Amino acid sequence: MTPLALSGDLTVITVGADLLGHALDAQAVPQIAVDWRPPLPGTSAALAQVLADPRRAAANEKAVGRLLAARPHLVGVRRARDVLDLPPGTFLHAGPPITWERASGPLRGALIGAMLYEGLAGTPEEAEGALERGSAHLSPCHRHRTVGPMAGVVSGSMWMFEVRDAEHGGTAYCSLNEGLGKVLRYGAYGPEVLDRLRWMGDVLGPVLRDALAANGPVDLRALMAQALQMGDELHNRNRAATSLLVRELAPAIVEAAPERAAEVLRFINGNDHFFLNAGMAACKVSADTARDVPGSTLVVAMARNGTDFGIQVSGLGDRWFIGPAGVPDGLYLGAYGPDDANPDIGDSTITETGGVGGFAMAASPAIVRFVGGEVADAVAATRSMYEITLAEHPAYQIPGLGFRGTPVGIDVTLVARTGLLPVVNTGIAGRIAGTGQVGAGLVSPPASAFTAALTALAEEAVAVRGS
Amino acid sequence: MRSKALPAADLVRVRSGIYHDSVSLMRVSQALTALDGVEVAMVAMATELNLGLARELGFDLPEAEPSDLLVAVRAREPDALRAAEAELERRLAALATLREAGGAAESPPRTTRSAAAAAPSEGGRAAVVLVSVPGENAFPEALDAVEAGLSVMVFSDNVPVEQEVLLKDLAAERDVLVMGPDCGTAAIGGVGLGFANVLRPGGVGVVAASGTGAQHVTSLLDLAGVGVSHVLGVGGRDLSAEVGGRSTLRALRALDDDPATSLIVLISKPPAPKAAARVAEAVRALATPVVTALLGPGGHDLTSAAEAVLAALGRPVPDWPAWEVPQDGVSGDGGVSGDGGGGGGALHGLYAGGTLCAEARIIAAERGTFTDFGDDTYTRGRPHPMIDPALRLEALASVPAGDVALLDVVLGYGSDPDPAASLAPAVAEARARGVAVVVAVVGTESDPQGLTRQARAFAEAGATVFTSHARAVRHAVSLSGSTR
């Protein structure tokens, strides 16, 4: 039956006045009622311009198609300065660009720690003084094919996961995970933090490098798909993925470094989040393949620096659209409470950008406690994300939803139309530099980042049509 | 909830996180205003327009976003205000329940795009989309429908013409039909969309700008025993130079391909010349016979259009039913009352239907004043007169003794469930003041309101009642002083 054929039974999709739906009920006509709400304030005109852009449909299909087709493989563990443009005194950080003056406590703490780790300062005070004077160069991870959790500070001596997209050939990097509690990425820089970093640099990095070289690349797409079916959502819960990674690499670790294998394996096993950084690099390399498609409204990065929440959009190059970072709503460790929390921070929202994390909550009933809710809330969170995404992931699936693919590919226009903001699972850093992690929970991005991107898309669409 | 201390008799609230469509909220406003001791109640989304209306009413308002719900109630005493607040809660709760009931276990779709993804496509069941969100927001929903390969009826008005053209071009690529914007009625295989009469099934397929014009022609055909296959609205601008008949051409072809349609009727104002040529060419290429009824001075009225269809079918034209006061000397079905007094003065046309109002102006040829209460200037911030009679009741009450009032009453799904309940007493009151009243009832016996039941109620109130609008207008003109 062609769509225009006028015979057959009708189902009517109604959007708008309930009255017209009641008229259909009175005729006993099957109806699907859209729960329509007005778009985000002030976006109607820009929405019409962007949706009318003749490039949009094909551009989004192409962009999200690349995102879905990416096949991230963990191919190496490398020292940052060997693969990234990181001269001494240059530090990468999470989120959109920021200066020391505007940096929050945890980012400042992590930068102080990195200065100490690199030997660029002898004491925290000295490091702080140098940073205040502007002697360090700060650059966002995202600009360097890199992502960093929480503060996301990367310096030359740190070791990085190297992830390659076997489909399109791109590469992305993420540092190695230090564990929980007092760690650099949460802004802590005490002696135990620096000792651990040195051990990671001297032992963990080289051992993993050798093990991976002996083992060969690890298919992260397959591993993540498996972990989702084992109860991870791959942002706040990485227990299954970490276990799978260890299982895969353990023999090679033992063979590569029989003397050190026990401490390396003990370290990885002691940190349920060890996989997170590899997963982030996998999502980064996938999202990067969707960049720079003219006319596409697909979000290719969401990231926070502890002060601003920023997004990047495929059709708008490497421009950031920012709004104020919110304070997460969640559970706190020990005696910490909301007053101790820093605004949202970290590049780990690349997981939600890639269709896991908060978007895959329904796969992970075990973390619902962080939301302070029921399993049904996790299912509702995932379901609501289908409203703002362009596709369902062919590999990342949710058993509890009948193996439906996770919602993936955030569309700026759908966010503006529904007012539904991406659901983000996250850790919570202490507000004061040096504190470390204080909790974990859920956070909402600022709507203003999405409306700013929408406005820019509209301007670009009009400019292109006019030229 | 933000609240503000005000004189004892005002209640102002702004609530976040609640949305209901304007028609539902206006019904809540109406119900609250009807309470004893309540002077005025406004429950509406806090748009610029609605905030302006509330300020004009003298309410002192806090800051609010368009996505907030604004409640502004003024009562003569605190007790009445409390009663209004309780009623407000009850009605909002009822609206929320309705919404949840529609959603079942899964949360309901938030866009037409996700609804289309959920629509069943198997078993020969086709989906069509009915868009009635505010005009500035209609484009995304209609575009979703077309991109999903579904035909769409855009009930919303105030959709920019360039968006209309874009939608209709894309519809041609996807082989679907865009009805509207500002399409008030349609019927597909017996399913009425929007304001729709219950019509007997048959072989006549109608293409019309759509609205009360199409409702009138199809209702007359129904009275004459002729049924319709489909009524496809194309929107009032479709045959303009800018839109160029894009949907008219597709609708004609769809009806031509439809085995249930044996005669096609095209009802339109005279099209722009270029569109007219394209349509004429398309009509010549169709295998199905076409009756083209162009409305306007020197052309058809809606009644003669229906009669032309009957002629093409070789069917007799019936005596269109009328219910008249005895001394007017026209036969009806009896049941009339009133003394036929009044008249001789000026003619006041008080209309709910836009096409009907335009037809009245043409037939009366300037002899009288005609007001379309369905026009944007009257529907800003309040329901359409086919749902809410308030404005027409006011206007009828102010028609001077000795003058003639002419009203249209449109029946069918979507319209006032019992228009005579509020209008007939007002008609009786006008008659008592010496105003002559003429009513044209557009509808069918099968409509929920029932044609005869409504017509009799108006006749019993003292009005002369016609099923042919053109005849109603001519009769009203003859009663007015302008012809004497």
Side-chain angles (χ1 to χ4, degrees):
Chain A
M1 184 162 94
T2 69
L4 194 47
L6 295 168
S7 50
D9 296 323
L10 273 192
T11 295
V12 181
I13 294 170
T14 55
V15 51
D18 286 346
L19 173 80
L20 300 182
H22 300 332
L24 290 164
D25 290 340
Q27 301 174 70
V29 174
Q31 191 190 147
I32 300 172
V34 175
D35 182 15
W36 186 86
R37 323 274 176 95
L40 290 173
T43 59
S44 293
L47 268 174
Q49 279 163 340
V50 174
L51 292 174
D53 185 341
R55 301 171 300 171
R56 177 187 50 88
N60 278 343
E61 198 175 326
K62 178 180 177 185
V64 80
R66 290 177 66 89
L67 171 58
L68 298 180
R71 290 189 289 125
H73 283 66
L74 177 60
V75 296
V77 175
R78 312 278 297 271
R79 214 182 257 281
R81 74 166 65 90
D82 297 338
V83 286
L84 300 173
D85 179 21
L86 270 179
T90 292
F91 299 98
L92 306 187
H93 64 82
I98 193 163
T99 58
W100 172 263
E101 287 71 35
R102 292 187 68 242
S104 64
L107 178 51
R108 288 184 172 200
L111 287 167
I112 290 168
M115 291 279 284
L116 296 171
Y117 173 56
E118 294 293 341
L120 296 171
T123 65
E125 292 72 26
E126 203 181 311
E128 196 166 350
L131 287 159
E132 260 168 29
R133 287 192 302 278
S135 63
H137 174 62
L138 305 184
S139 186
C141 290
H142 269 288
R143 194 178 286 166
H144 301 265
R145 299 178 293 165
T146 297
V147 277
M150 303 309 287
V153 168
V154 176
S155 63
S157 304
M158 294 179 186
W159 287 74
M160 313 291 285
F161 282 125
E162 183 174 54
V163 174
R164 188 154 296 143
D165 174 6
E167 185 71 20
H168 307 100
T171 306
Y173 298 93
C174 186
S175 52
L176 304 183
N177 197 291
E178 313 158 72
L180 292 175
K182 289 213 183 298
V183 286
L184 186 80
R185 70 176 188 283
Y186 279 95
Y189 52 80
E192 76 271 39
V193 175
L194 298 177
D195 286 348
R196 188 187 304 110
L197 285 176
R198 288 189 193 101
W199 176 83
M200 290 169 72
D202 295 343
V203 179
L204 182 66
V207 170
L208 284 177
R209 173 198 59 199
D210 296 346
L212 206 61
N215 181 78
V218 178
D219 182 345
L220 294 181
R221 180 176 162 116
L223 190 153
M224 288 164 71
Q226 187 66 29
L228 286 170
Q229 303 200 7
M230 295 167 71
D232 282 356
E233 44 70 87
L234 297 166
H235 188 168
N236 259 4
R237 189 179 201 273
N238 287 284
R239 180 171 289 178
T242 299
S243 306
L244 291 171
L245 186 64
V246 170
R247 199 171 80 172
E248 168 113 19
L249 290 182
I253 289 172
V254 173
E255 282 170 5
E259 304 294 311
R260 296 291 206 173
E263 61 184 296
V264 165
L265 288 169
R266 204 169 284 124
F267 177 81
I268 298 174
N269 273 340
N271 174 11
D272 280 341
H273 281 293
F274 188 78
F275 179 79
L276 171 65
N277 300 33
M280 283 173 59
C283 291
K284 168 68 174 166
V285 83
S286 305
D288 275 359
T289 64
R291 281 181 180 264
D292 300 322
V293 181
S296 171
T297 58
L298 177 79
V299 173
V300 293
M302 297 195 289
R304 315 86 95 197
N305 57 30
T307 306
D308 315 303
F309 191 116
I311 65 170
Q312 293 180 312
V313 178
S314 175
L316 295 171
D318 57 4
R319 290 170 67 184
W320 286 98
F321 301 93
I322 63 171
V327 173
D329 178 20
L331 289 185
Y332 288 86
L333 304 170
Y336 291 121
D339 290 345
D340 302 307
N342 194 74
D344 197 18
I345 185 166
D347 286 336
S348 55
T349 29
I350 195 69
T351 56
E352 280 83 12
T353 312
V356 292
F359 286 39
M361 276 241 280
S364 189
I367 64 145
V368 171
R369 281 169 300 167
F370 281 124
V371 196
E374 309 290 324
V375 172
D377 298 331
V379 173
T382 291
R383 278 196 199 285
S384 71
M385 292 300 96
Y386 289 108
E387 295 284 352
I388 61 167
T389 47
L390 289 165
E392 300 179 10
H393 204 287
Y396 304 154
Q397 296 170 345
I398 299 173
L401 296 182
F403 294 93
R404 188 174 180 184
T406 63
V408 60
I410 302 161
D411 180 345
V412 171
T413 68
L414 291 173
V415 172
R417 284 174 64 184
T418 61
L420 292 171
L421 295 165
V423 172
V424 171
N425 288 345
T426 193
I428 307 174
R431 200 163 45 80
I432 314 264
T435 308
Q437 184 178 17
V438 297
L442 277 182
V443 70
S444 270
S448 55
F450 294 87
T451 54
L454 183 74
T455 304
L457 283 164
E459 285 165 359
E460 201 262 351
V462 169
V464 166
R465 239 170 302 172
S467 64
Chain B
M1 184 187 295
R2 283 158 275 165
S3 183
K4 199 155 179 179
L6 281 166
D10 272 9
L11 170 80
V12 174
R13 296 260 193 278
V14 172
R15 293 186 184 185
S16 306
I18 301 181
Y19 174 80
H20 294 292
D21 68 83
S22 59
V23 177
S24 299
L25 291 176
M26 284 184 281
R27 288 186 158 178
V28 176
S29 305
Q30 260 179 296
L32 297 190
T33 303
L35 292 175
D36 271 349
V38 174
E39 285 180 8
V40 62
M42 187 169 163
V43 183
M45 299 313 292
T47 58
E48 275 307 308
L49 170 70
N50 288 330
L51 291 173
L53 289 172
R55 278 193 205 99
E56 277 171 32
L57 290 168
F59 286 103
D60 187 11
L61 304 178
E63 285 291 308
E65 295 278 349
S67 52
D68 295 336
L69 179 75
L70 170 70
V71 177
V73 185
R74 178 167 302 138
R76 283 187 279 280
E77 81 234 329
D79 275 354
L81 210 54
R82 273 192 289 278
E85 201 171 7
E87 182 66 12
L88 171 73
E89 295 308 331
R90 210 177 58 73
R91 292 201 168 249
L92 288 182
L95 284 178
T97 315
L98 271 180
R99 175 166 279 178
E100 277 161 24
E106 285 193 26
S107 45
R110 293 288 304 276
T111 60
T112 302
R113 169 186 170 272
S114 61
S121 52
E122 74 288 349
R125 194 166 266 286
V128 61
V129 179
L130 171 51
V131 176
S132 59
V133 298
E136 62 171 350
N137 305 122
F139 178 64
E141 305 305 323
L143 189 63
D144 276 358
V146 175
E147 287 187 342
L150 302 178
S151 289
V152 57
M153 165 167 162
V154 183
F155 185 89
S156 319
D157 55 6
N158 294 318
V159 176
V161 69
E162 63 272 17
Q163 294 177 1
E164 176 176 351
V165 169
L166 204 149
L167 284 170
K168 289 180 173 179
D169 278 345
L170 196 60
E173 277 174 37
R174 303 292 168 101
D175 197 23
V176 297
L177 181 65
V178 172
M179 295 181 276
D182 201 8
C183 176
T185 188
I188 296 177
V191 173
L193 302 170
F195 292 116
N197 299 100
V198 181
L199 304 167
R200 68 185 80 220
V204 176
V206 178
V207 179
S210 195
T212 47
Q215 287 188 271
H216 191 26
V217 172
T218 52
S219 292
L220 288 176
L221 290 176
D222 190 85
L223 276 171
V226 171
V228 304
S229 54
H230 313 283
V231 179
L232 304 179
V234 293
R237 283 187 308 227
D238 193 67
L239 288 169
S240 66
E242 274 167 296
V243 187
R246 283 169 163 83
S247 280
T248 302
L249 298 172
R250 294 191 61 70
L252 287 171
R253 275 185 223 120
L255 291 175
D256 195 36
D257 290 344
D258 173 40
T261 301
S262 52
L263 177 72
I264 297 172
V265 184
L266 172 62
I267 308 164
S268 167
K269 284 178 283 192
K274 218 170 180 175
R278 290 179 68 188
V279 170
E281 191 187 335
V283 163
R284 275 195 299 276
L286 300 182
T288 314
V290 179
V291 174
T292 303
L294 296 183
L295 306 176
H300 274 287
D301 59 45
L302 295 164
T303 303
S304 73
E307 290 168 353
V309 175
L310 294 174
L313 291 169
R315 304 276 291 246
V317 174
D319 193 9
W320 301 118
W323 294 258
E324 303 202 32
V325 260
Q327 53 266 60
D328 287 338
V330 183
S331 66
D333 78 338
V336 293
S337 68
D339 61 8
L347 171 56
H348 305 264
L350 311 176
Y351 275 86
T355 308
L356 297 174
C357 188
E359 171 164 297
R361 282 198 186 100
I362 292 165
I363 293 174
E366 308 292 318
R367 291 166 294 179
T369 55
F370 299 90
T371 310
D372 174 10
F373 287 96
D375 191 80
D376 290 349
T377 44
Y378 297 98
T379 54
R380 274 162 53 102
R382 58 187 315 147
H384 194 276
M386 276 159 69
I387 304 165
D388 174 8
L391 279 181
R392 288 212 293 171
L393 288 173
E394 268 173 45
L396 183 55
S398 63
V399 173
D403 283 5
V404 180
L406 170 62
L407 292 89
D408 61 340
V409 173
V410 182
L411 310 180
Y413 289 120
S415 297
D416 188 330
D418 187 5
S422 54
L423 278 170
V427 167
E429 202 178 270
R431 295 290 295 118
R433 282 187 289 116
V435 174
V437 182
V438 179
V439 172
V441 182
V442 171
T444 70
E445 215 50 71
S446 305
D447 280 335
Q449 301 90 344
L451 174 66
T452 304
R453 192 169 71 78
Q454 290 291 322
R456 280 196 178 145
F458 284 105
E460 278 160 20
T464 323
V465 182
F466 292 87
T467 49
S468 158
H469 175 250
R471 284 186 64 194
V473 179
R474 290 188 190 103
H475 182 72
V477 169
S478 75
L479 289 179
S480 76
S482 50
T483 57
R484 298 186 177 186

